[in-house]
Amino acid sequence: MITRLNPDTLPKNPAFSQVAVIHPAATLVFVGGQNAVNTQGEIVGHDLASQMEQAIKNLIAALAAAGATLKDVFKVTIYVVAGQSLQAGFAAVQPLWDIRAHPPTISGIFVAGLARPEFLVEIEAVAAIQTGGQS
């Protein structure tokens, strides 16, 4: 369903794949930017680690609504407010998502700001599931 590639002609990192190939008969799931808001609409945390943890929890919930899981994710884009440590954010979400097991392609982008001044991170993802169920 998803073939993750790390060709010898590119650097290798266990945290992400360089290329993801989606095979026919896949249903694509696009998850819009998830941030650190809980179901009551309250911002969770004032540091990147806690906000990233909530954003990943929201991502998991969004994927589940579409019948997907984190292992189905092949593309992640993380928008982080400039001045924050993306590594600290990754460390915080490691217990929720061991990306080394099914490493997606990842782009980390530093931005001047997000939709609300309190937001430090926003995460969007694309997943592929077999038509009619999970991969």
Side-chain angles (χ1 to χ4, degrees):
M1 171 58 95
I2 302 172
T3 302
R4 294 165 172 91
L5 304 171
N6 287 297
D8 291 336
T9 54
L10 293 171
K12 298 201 181 1
N13 186 313
F16 60 85
S17 295
Q18 293 287 0
V19 180
V21 179
I22 310 309
H23 300 279
T27 298
L28 297 180
V29 177
F30 295 83
V31 179
Q34 298 299 308
N35 49 43
V37 176
N38 64 20
T39 57
Q40 292 78 38
E42 303 162 334
I43 295 177
V44 175
H46 300 290
D47 63 329
L48 182 63
S50 56
Q51 286 199 14
M52 196 153 165
E53 181 178 344
Q54 182 63 44
I56 290 292
K57 288 178 181 177
N58 292 346
L59 174 61
I60 291 167
L63 290 166
T69 68
L70 289 174
K71 73 175 184 137
D72 301 312
V73 172
F74 66 88
K75 173 67 177 137
V76 175
T77 305
I78 304 170
Y79 301 92
V80 178
V81 171
Q84 301 296 314
S85 168
L86 190 53
Q87 292 76 13
F90 280 133
V93 299
Q94 191 67 37
L96 295 172
W97 187 8
D98 183 2
I99 58 177
R100 292 172 294 190
H102 297 94
T105 61
I106 297 177
S107 296
I109 302 168
F110 288 99
V111 297
L114 294 164
R116 289 177 57 180
E118 306 94 330
F119 291 156
L120 300 175
V121 65
E122 185 167 302
I123 302 171
E124 61 184 31
V126 184
I129 54 177
Q130 289 180 353
T131 302
Q134 293 181 348
S135 63

